[in-house]
């Protein structure tokens, strides 16, 4: 099995937002040409640069992305279809929705995605397509212009594994107690409770 490091795009840390192969505004891109994957497979490890971490944090509304590493095993399933499995590890700083304090979160996500060429050109109206996958199975992600953007895949799994309403451990919503019941103090229903 071959091992390879995919370098950042030579376009810099902010590739064009019009490139359909990029995700997250194109802030983290590592493009792999599918035809370079050997029959024995390919192991890769990607690490976001400091500038890419800052761009990811801005794109996803995070206080900071302190570290992001993704490891991938890319294997051919057929001449045109590929399986990408791996793991994403990231250390991010989120802002608590209750206290507004920053706190660190560790993200650890397994990745398992199939890739295949687009069955129709981008922009062409979707119509009936031949069933290329089993019922209940997700369709493969597209290989665009013969390339798989592993950086965009890592960025996608980062955002999928972030808490939408992050709360710092130990912080409770004001006006609630540990059991989730409103406290009598400052409750608009406190007066009604006293009358009953």
């Amino acid at each position: 099995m071959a091992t390879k490091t995919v370098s950042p795009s030579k376009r810099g840390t902010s590739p064009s937002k019009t490139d359909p192969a990029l995700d997250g505004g194109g802030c983290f891109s590592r493009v792999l040409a599918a035809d370079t994957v050997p029959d024995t497979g390919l192991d890769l490890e990607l690490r976001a640069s400091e500038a890419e971490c800052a761009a990811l944090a801005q794109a996803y509304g995070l206080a900071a992305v302190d570290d992001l590493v993704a490891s991938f095993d890319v294997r051919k399933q057929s001449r045109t279809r590929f399986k990408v499995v791996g793991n994403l590890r990231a250390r991010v700083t989120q802002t608590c929705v209750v206290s507004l304090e920053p706190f660190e979160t560790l993200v650890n996500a397994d990745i398992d995605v199939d890739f295949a060429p687009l069955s129709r050109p981008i922009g062409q109206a979707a119509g009936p397509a031949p069933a290329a996958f089993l019922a209940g199975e997700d369709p493969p992600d597209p290989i665009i212009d013969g390339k798989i953007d592993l950086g965009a895949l890592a960025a996608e799994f980062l955002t999928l594994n972030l808490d939408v309403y992050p709360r710092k451990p130990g912080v409770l919503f004001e006006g609630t107690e540990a059991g989730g019941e409103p406290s009598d103090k400052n409750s608009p229903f406190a007066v009604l409770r006293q009358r009953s």
Side-chain angles (χ1 to χ4, degrees):
M1 174 172 310
T3 302
K4 183 176 179 179
T5 300
V6 182
S7 300
S9 167
K10 289 191 170 34
R11 295 181 291 179
T13 58
S14 299
S16 166
K17 293 187 180 187
T18 60
D19 187 337
L22 304 180
D23 186 75
C27 21
F28 184 47
S29 178
R30 298 290 191 281
V31 176
L32 173 68
D35 61 4
T36 65
V37 177
D39 292 337
T40 55
L42 188 60
D43 281 335
L44 303 124
E45 184 171 284
L46 317 179
R47 181 177 295 273
S49 70
E50 191 175 316
E52 288 167 330
C53 284
L56 285 165
Q58 183 176 9
Y60 298 135
L62 298 167
V65 174
D66 302 303
D67 191 31
L68 184 146
V69 178
S71 57
F72 294 107
D73 177 28
V74 183
R75 291 194 175 266
K76 288 183 178 179
Q77 291 186 306
S78 69
R79 192 175 59 80
T80 59
R81 189 163 169 150
F82 296 81
K83 178 170 274 299
V84 178
V85 295
N87 180 263
L88 168 74
R89 297 173 310 283
R91 192 165 40 91
V92 303
T93 302
Q94 295 182 278
T95 302
C96 176
V97 295
V98 178
S99 67
L100 302 180
E101 296 175 281
F103 69 100
E104 191 173 275
T105 303
L106 298 177
V107 177
N108 192 349
D110 290 328
I111 298 170
D112 187 344
V113 180
D114 290 336
F115 282 86
L118 285 171
S119 57
R120 64 179 60 83
I122 293 176
Q124 182 176 331
F133 49 93
L134 300 173
E137 182 185 339
D138 287 337
D141 281 12
I143 297 174
I144 300 173
D145 295 330
K147 298 177 179 72
I148 299 171
D149 192 338
L150 296 173
L153 182 63
E156 176 185 354
F157 272 79
L158 172 64
T159 190
L160 288 173
N161 285 278
L162 290 172
D163 190 345
V164 179
Y165 301 105
R167 191 162 40 151
K168 186 176 180 178
V171 172
L172 298 175
F173 286 106
E174 195 171 305
T176 63
E177 295 176 351
E181 293 295 321
S183 65
D184 285 338
K185 182 180 167 185
N186 300 326
S187 169
F189 300 106
V191 175
L192 296 175
R193 282 196 196 106
Q194 290 172 354
R195 290 184 183 171
S196 56

